[in-house]
Each structure stands twice: as C-alpha cells, then as structure tokens.
Amino acid sequence: MAAKLTWLVTGASAGIGQSICIAALDAGHRVIGTTRDVSRAEATSPDFAAKGGIWIQLDPAHPDSCSHFAKVLEQYNIDVLVNNAGYAFIGGVEDTSEEEVQDQMNVNFWGPLRAIRAVLPHMRARRKGKIVLISSGSVYMSLPGRGAYVASKAAIAALHESLKKEVEEFGIKVLIVEPGAFRTPWTTNFKSPAAYESSRGFSEGYKGTIIERWVGMAQNVKTAPLPDVIKGNPDKAAREIVKAITGDDHGYLRLILGPDCAKAVEQKLGEIRHDLEATREIAMSTDGELP
C-alpha cells in the first residue's frame, strides 16, 4: 500500500469531513480530526476513535487558532491538511448584515487560511505535504440567496489557486475539491439573516420574488429529510478524495464531484466563453500607443 500519512482534518465530526476521516483510516493512515466539541463528536462519529482516529478540540474560526494548530504540530508531523470546516449562510445580499458576512468569512475563509499558515513552515522544512480545500460547486452556480456563502468559498478557492503556484517548488501539492449536492447534514447547520428570522429569512420587499423561493426552499428542508433529488454519496466522494491524495500525481487542481457539479462547471465555462466572444473586440482595442 502507499506510505502511511498523517492527516489533519478540520470539521471532522460530520458530513464529508467525517467521511474523509473514515476513508483515510480504512486506508491505513493516521487521522487527527478537529472539532469544537469532542464529547459531541464522539457521540455522532463513534467509528472514528474505534478505528484509531484522534480527536482534537479546535475551532479554526477562533482568532487564536493558528497557535492552537501550532500545538498540534508540536506533537505530529502533518502530511495532509484537509480544510473542511465551514457552514452555509443563506439569505439575500440586502437582507444579510455586515456582521453575518464577517462571520461567514471568518469560518469559511480565515479559518482555512489560519490552518495553512500554521502547517506551511513545517511542510516547507520537510519539502513535502498536501493541502486540500473542501470548497463547493456552488461557486459555479451563484444561486440567489447564496451570495455571502459563494463569496467565501470563491475567495478561499482563489487563495488556494495562488498557493499552488507558491509552494509547488517545495514539493507541496494543493487540491481544491468542489462537491455538488451531497447527502450530508448541511441543512441543519446553515444560517439565515437573524433580522428576518420570523419571516423565514427574507424581508418584506422580497416577498413573492426569487429570494422568497430560494431562501424559503432552504427553510423548508431545514427540519425535513433531504429531498430525493440530492443523490451525492459522501462516502463515495471521500474515497475518491483519498485516492487523489495518496495515488500518483493526479495532474489537476480541481476535483469535481457529482453530476450536478460537472453540469454547473460546463454551464459556467459556456457563459464565460459567450462573454469573451461578445467583448473580444473591445478587449483587444484598449491598449494605448507607447511613446
């Protein structure tokens, strides 16, 4: 089998993060999972410790989390960092407060960045390592009511794209995982504008609009079973992620997961191509004559 690696997975107690941990453990690796509440994680994911996983109480969104990550690195040489912890904020741009946007960015952007800054010196010194971001296929969809969430995921993905070019000469690999809709408990964890909690997450001015349809639809599934249209299997996704990390050099930056995500990427590429062709003549006309 491939060499045994030590993985550090944030947001390890549920969803795709939980599945990645189990898949890596099943493949013979050592896995350290971070969670904000170890007791709760032990209850919701009993297989993790039973298979040899190690729980660490750590919140990447905490301002001092970089020092908390450093303490983990004093005990373990981390080969693979998986930035998975995050949540979705669902609400219209106008209805979302600045504080709510800041909270979204703190968890989905600053949290992963703090983890990266903590592990990079160690990976550079050893001239090897793998950094994985669990992003989202929503960056290609830009759905109504997802502005803050998509902004946070697009921003951290862009950072990882630059990071890839900065660290590859040190033998460090970067992978951005972009899942579509998977059967994970994300619907129980998303947040909506607090100011409009009593009106299902949107203001009066958006009643009867696309915001009511999309934000209201999310509210409908918050306490209901996931609809059958969501077919993504997180355990299958996790096994593909582990294979990509532990196999031969895969040669790609983005790992697209799910037929819905593949379709969204194709549509986005078509939209960009359309805009390029529509504005190519303008683009080619804006250089000036140098003296």
Side-chain angles (χ1 to χ4, degrees):
M1 64 172 277
K4 180 178 178 179
L5 303 175
T6 299
W7 295 55
L8 176 61
V9 182
T10 69
S13 61
I16 287 182
Q18 181 186 70
S19 294
I20 291 171
C21 289
I22 298 302
L25 288 167
D26 286 345
H29 303 289
R30 177 164 59 178
V31 180
I32 300 148
T34 79
T35 178
R36 291 177 297 172
D37 187 336
V38 171
S39 296
R40 183 179 178 185
E42 289 173 337
T44 58
S45 186
D47 288 347
F48 178 76
K51 291 175 179 285
I54 303 164
W55 287 118
I56 296 288
Q57 185 165 323
L58 193 155
D59 180 4
H62 192 282
D64 294 330
S65 64
C66 197
S67 63
H68 301 162
F69 279 114
K71 291 179 181 178
V72 176
L73 291 161
E74 290 174 2
Q75 295 179 269
Y76 305 100
N77 285 323
I78 302 301
D79 300 300
V80 183
L81 167 66
V82 180
N83 270 319
N84 169 73
Y87 74 94
F89 188 92
I90 298 179
V93 171
E94 184 180 352
D95 291 342
T96 303
S97 71
E98 185 171 323
E99 291 75 18
E100 287 167 333
V101 175
Q102 289 172 342
D103 288 345
Q104 178 78 114
M105 295 297 291
N106 193 37
V107 174
N108 291 4
F109 180 84
W110 287 106
L113 178 56
R114 293 179 184 120
I116 290 168
R117 289 173 59 85
V119 303
L120 270 181
H122 299 263
M123 289 184 173
R124 282 193 298 102
R126 298 167 63 208
R127 300 195 73 83
K128 64 177 181 178
K130 300 182 180 185
I131 296 174
V132 184
L133 171 68
I134 307 303
S135 182
S136 172
S138 64
V139 298
Y140 300 109
M141 303 173 195
S142 300
L143 299 173
R146 308 299 193 270
Y149 176 64
V150 170
S152 69
K153 287 295 189 178
I156 194 61
L159 184 140
H160 279 73
E161 190 168 356
S162 290
L163 179 67
K164 173 186 181 294
K165 298 173 182 178
E166 295 175 2
V167 301
E168 56 190 357
E169 63 187 275
F170 296 105
I172 301 170
K173 306 294 184 181
V174 175
L175 179 67
I176 301 172
V177 179
E178 295 176 329
F182 277 78
R183 299 191 70 80
T184 65
W186 69 270
T187 56
T188 62
N189 299 323
F190 76 79
K191 298 180 181 180
S192 294
Y196 304 105
E197 184 176 356
S198 62
S199 56
R200 303 183 72 238
F202 56 90
S203 59
E204 180 67 23
Y206 286 96
K207 189 173 183 179
T209 71
I210 196 168
I211 285 293
E212 179 178 4
R213 293 196 294 276
W214 280 95
V215 176
M217 179 173 61
Q219 296 291 343
N220 291 339
V221 300
K222 195 165 189 176
T223 57
L226 286 171
D228 292 342
V229 70
I230 298 178
K231 298 180 180 179
N233 184 317
D235 295 335
K236 284 187 175 182
R239 289 193 289 270
E240 293 301 329
I241 294 167
V242 171
K243 283 196 293 184
I245 290 300
T246 59
D248 295 334
D249 189 5
H250 44 71
Y252 50 79
L253 172 62
R254 294 175 178 82
L255 175 57
I256 310 299
L257 293 174
D260 57 333
C261 189
K263 181 179 179 181
V265 172
E266 290 175 345
Q267 181 173 336
K268 189 70 172 181
L269 290 172
E271 291 171 355
I272 293 172
R273 171 62 62 182
H274 173 272
D275 290 351
L276 173 61
E277 296 306 327
T279 62
R280 184 185 295 276
E281 186 175 345
I282 298 171
M284 301 304 291
S285 71
T286 54
D287 276 357
E289 295 292 334
L290 297 178

